[in-house]
């Protein structure tokens, strides 16, 4: 556990601003990218939904294709978001450790890095 270089207190808080911001931005970007990719290449979900909806006739085919495309977009967003959060958190952690003052002394309010 680090100690404050100013007052030598051990009552220290770890801020992790970079990690939080990186995870948020990465998650949003990954989810948007995953959904867009799934929709652009969503023929598979639409075809699967249409095949299942074929039992309901023409209306079932159209509804099934729509549901299949939406399901594909949701799955793509979840997968992309997961990857984005992980990648963003890794980058953010590196920024916390090497660029930002990631620690705050709770006694004297001094912010510092562990170097």
């Amino acid at each position: 556990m680090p100690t404050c270089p100013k007052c030598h207190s051990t009552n220290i808080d770890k801020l992790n601003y970079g990690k939080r911001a990186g995870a948020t931005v990465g998650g949003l970007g990954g989810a948007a990218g995953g959904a867009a990719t799934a929709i652009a290449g969503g023929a598979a979900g639409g075809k699967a939904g249409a095949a299942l909806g074929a039992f309901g006739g023409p209306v079932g085919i159209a509804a099934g294709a729509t549901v299949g495309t939406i399901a594909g977009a949701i799955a793509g967003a979840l997968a992309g978001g997961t990857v984005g959060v992980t990648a963003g958190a890794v980058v953010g952690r590196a920024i916390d450790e090497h660029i930002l003052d990631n620690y705050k002394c709770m006694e004297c309010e001094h912010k510092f890095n562990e170097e």
Side-chain angles (χ1 to χ4, degrees), residues 7-28:
C7 73
H8 305 290
S9 170
T10 57
N11 188 9
I12 305 297
D13 186 26
K14 193 169 186 179
L15 302 174
N16 289 331
Y17 291 139
K19 183 178 175 182
R20 291 181 208 171
T24 301
V25 171
L28 292 173

Side-chain angles (χ1 to χ4, degrees), residues 74-103:
I74 291 170
L78 289 173
T82 301
V83 171
V85 165
T86 303
V90 168
V91 172
R93 187 179 310 126
I95 291 171
D96 283 335
E97 291 175 3
H98 301 289
I99 297 173
L100 299 177
D101 289 336
N102 197 36
Y103 295 96

Side-chain angles (χ1 to χ4, degrees), residues 28-91:
L28 292 173
T37 300
I39 290 172
K47 286 179 185 176
L52 291 174
F55 295 109
V59 173
I61 291 172
T66 301
V67 169
T69 301
I70 292 170
I74 291 170
L78 289 173
T82 301
V83 171
V85 165
T86 303
V90 168
V91 172

